[in-house]
Amino acid sequence: MIFEGEELVCVRGERPVFAGLDFRVGDGEILLLEGRNGAGKSSLLRICSGLLKAAGGRLLWDGRPADEDWDEHHGRLQYVGHQDALKPVLTVAENLRFWARVNGVRVSAGGVDKALERMDLRDLATVPARFLSAGQRRRVNLARLLATPARLWLLDEPTTSLDTVASAMLAEVVRDHAAHGGMAMIATHLDLGLAGARRLALEPYRLAV
Amino acid sequence: MRALLALLVRDLRLAIRQGGTVGMTLGFFVITVTLFPLGVGPELELLSRIAAGVIWVAAMLASLISLDRIFQADYEDGSLELIALGPTPLELVVLAKALAHWLTTGLPLLVTAPLLAVLLNLPVNGFVALIAAMLLGTPALSLIGAIGAALTVGVRRGGVLLSLLVLPLYIPILIFGVAAVEAAIGGFVVAPHLAVLGGLLIGATVLTPWASAAALRLALE
């Protein structure tokens, strides 16, 4: 399976962010997005998820335009954005179970428990999310990736507020995902130590004179 | 289907755990209605004449003040974009959320309304019509309100804008909701008014998903 973008153009508030951008991710590949603030890393991930419409260009999944059926495209991706999307009054496990169900995953299959285990959240499972630290909240958000399997991971600064142990945990999870044939596009400033990951450098757009 | 049920259950659970939300709406409803006997005086005849109108207007305002709950919190904490990225079409998500809003707002209002009708000395033969009209009208309030809530989701402190958008759209429900009760009291046929309310409800059920989902997609860009 190949996910690719061709000649993508992104415009935010009449200001061009990038233009003519191409990328390509295949099975088991990790693509790291690099670039200065405002280079369009987040915008590219949001375009890939379908949250943001590209002003031009095409998104292709296995050669077929992704915008043919957005619901189908959404079904094969998981997105981690800047916000953790946790409900403060629900416990960690309840939050995760909700996201699993919304994505059509059977909770009884035990995926949620495994995800909690994997992100070292076992002891926090019954704690309401409002008592979590920023790093713990981020880990719950990342556990969502494990609780609801998806082919394509779009991670926007996933290491925000994670400590070194948790960052290593995340790198391990991403490596595992790729090893099982998954794809990931990650915008990050931190070196996650992902051997074999390809890099895509985004340049701030400058008008040609 | 399972996803929609999960969404509904979560919204109900949030409403219960956060407490206050249901109670506050009901409290607002009760207090607003109670103000009228104090304001216009305890003349039973006058009160029974305005009872239906007062209850409907208060129910609308109570429903209105809780509308921002439908999408606002989910928008602010990033849940809404993840829900939009889920496999469930956003149109159905809107319906599930409007239903959750009705269950936590419209239904409690419906249950309390007869008690307040006693307070306002509503004639006995108007009660059934009031309940029937509210049963058809309050879901329509939640649905139409969901359009306004979706349109103002990205607006900070959009409460006033929300009322300006939604209240004019509530007018038909108010007119026919009150007319049904008046007809029952006057001994006329109630069915036509209820049929119009039912029609409004069906119309809102069909239009709301599209309108709200489109507004939400814009807000999420």
Side-chain angles (χ1 to χ4, degrees):
Chain A
M1 228 106 18
I2 294 166
F3 181 51
E4 55 194 331
E6 282 178 354
E7 296 283 313
L8 289 172
V9 181
C10 173
V11 179
R12 299 295 277 157
E14 304 193 358
R15 194 182 62 88
V17 180
F18 54 72
L21 186 129
D22 298 306
F23 73 85
R24 194 183 149 91
V25 223
D27 282 344
E29 284 186 344
I30 302 167
L31 187 64
L32 297 175
L33 310 181
E34 293 172 343
R36 304 270 312 272
N37 299 138
K41 302 185 294 290
S42 297
S43 298
L44 177 57
L45 288 176
R46 290 179 76 84
I47 285 175
C48 289
S49 71
L51 282 171
L52 186 65
K53 301 276 172 286
R58 300 196 300 163
L59 275 181
L60 300 171
W61 182 273
D62 251 357
R64 291 190 36 219
D67 60 4
E68 247 175 34
D69 187 349
W70 279 121
D71 288 331
E72 192 191 344
H73 185 62
H74 291 159
R76 52 194 173 220
L77 68 85
Q78 277 291 332
Y79 170 80
V80 172
H82 293 275
Q83 289 158 312
D84 289 321
L86 299 179
K87 290 292 167 198
V89 292
L90 300 184
T91 68
V92 167
E94 281 171 337
N95 269 297
L96 266 187
R97 262 185 251 133
F98 166 69
W99 287 119
R101 287 201 187 98
V102 161
N103 287 295
V105 176
R106 248 176 222 290
V107 171
S108 52
V112 170
D113 291 337
K114 259 184 235 144
L116 285 169
E117 185 87 33
R118 190 80 196 269
M119 292 311 289
D120 194 19
L121 291 163
R122 244 302 148 73
D123 301 336
L124 295 173
T126 54
V127 176
R130 67 170 174 276
F131 297 125
L132 300 186
S133 76
Q136 288 168 332
R137 293 169 63 88
R138 183 60 16 165
R139 258 152 61 204
V140 180
N141 193 358
L142 292 168
R144 196 162 49 80
L145 294 171
L146 298 165
T148 55
R151 192 96 197 183
L152 171 66
W153 287 3
L154 303 170
L155 313 182
D156 196 355
E157 301 288 356
T159 52
T160 309
S161 52
L162 289 185
D163 56 24
T164 40
V165 179
S167 295
M169 216 184 282
L170 168 66
E172 184 62 40
V173 165
V174 172
R175 264 196 296 271
D176 226 40
H177 176 62
H180 287 86
M183 323 171 181
M185 292 173 73
I186 309 174
T188 177
H189 289 104
L190 218 70
D191 187 14
L192 280 169
L194 296 165
R198 289 189 301 117
R199 285 157 203 278
L200 177 72
L202 280 86
E203 302 284 336
Y205 184 83
R206 281 184 221 290
L207 285 169
V209 184
Chain B
M1 204 55 218
R2 195 182 305 138
L4 288 177
L5 194 67
L7 207 68
L8 183 65
V9 169
R10 181 196 72 151
D11 274 14
L12 295 179
R13 190 180 274 165
L14 285 177
I16 293 164
R17 292 251 180 108
Q18 270 155 358
T21 43
V22 178
M24 228 137 53
T25 314
L26 267 185
F28 178 88
F29 182 49
V30 172
I31 286 178
T32 315
V33 172
T34 322
L35 288 179
F36 278 85
L38 298 175
V40 300
E43 271 176 70
L44 288 181
E45 203 180 311
L46 177 64
L47 282 179
S48 61
R49 212 164 61 226
I50 61 169
V54 168
I55 287 173
W56 264 108
V57 170
M60 278 174 185
L61 295 177
S63 170
L64 180 77
I65 56 162
S66 57
L67 280 181
D68 58 344
R69 223 174 51 219
I70 305 185
F71 301 117
Q72 195 71 40
D74 279 336
Y75 175 77
E76 278 165 6
D77 70 10
S79 299
L80 196 62
E81 56 186 29
L82 293 182
I83 292 170
L85 287 179
T88 324
L90 205 49
E91 284 78 9
L92 296 178
V93 169
V94 168
L95 276 185
K97 287 195 129 304
L99 177 60
H101 178 260
W102 180 73
L103 288 173
T104 54
T105 313
L107 194 59
L109 292 181
L110 176 68
V111 174
T112 329
L115 299 177
L116 292 172
V118 174
L119 183 79
L120 293 178
N121 195 35
L122 184 81
V124 182
N125 43 7
F127 274 73
V128 177
L130 177 69
I131 294 169
M134 284 191 81
L135 196 59
L136 290 168
T138 48
L141 295 182
S142 293
L143 285 164
I144 294 171
I147 301 178
L151 281 169
T152 54
V153 77
V155 185
R156 269 185 201 287
R157 280 187 273 280
V160 180
L161 180 61
L162 179 59
S163 355
L164 290 179
L165 281 173
V166 167
L167 282 178
L169 297 175
Y170 279 179
I171 291 173
I173 302 171
L174 175 65
I175 292 174
F176 288 98
V178 174
V181 183
E182 305 270 294
I185 296 170
F188 300 106
V189 194
V190 182
H193 303 293
L194 294 184
V196 173
L197 283 175
L200 289 171
L201 175 57
I202 292 169
T205 313
V206 176
L207 286 177
T208 295
W210 303 113
S212 297
L216 289 178
R217 286 200 185 96
L218 263 181
L220 286 174
E221 277 218 347

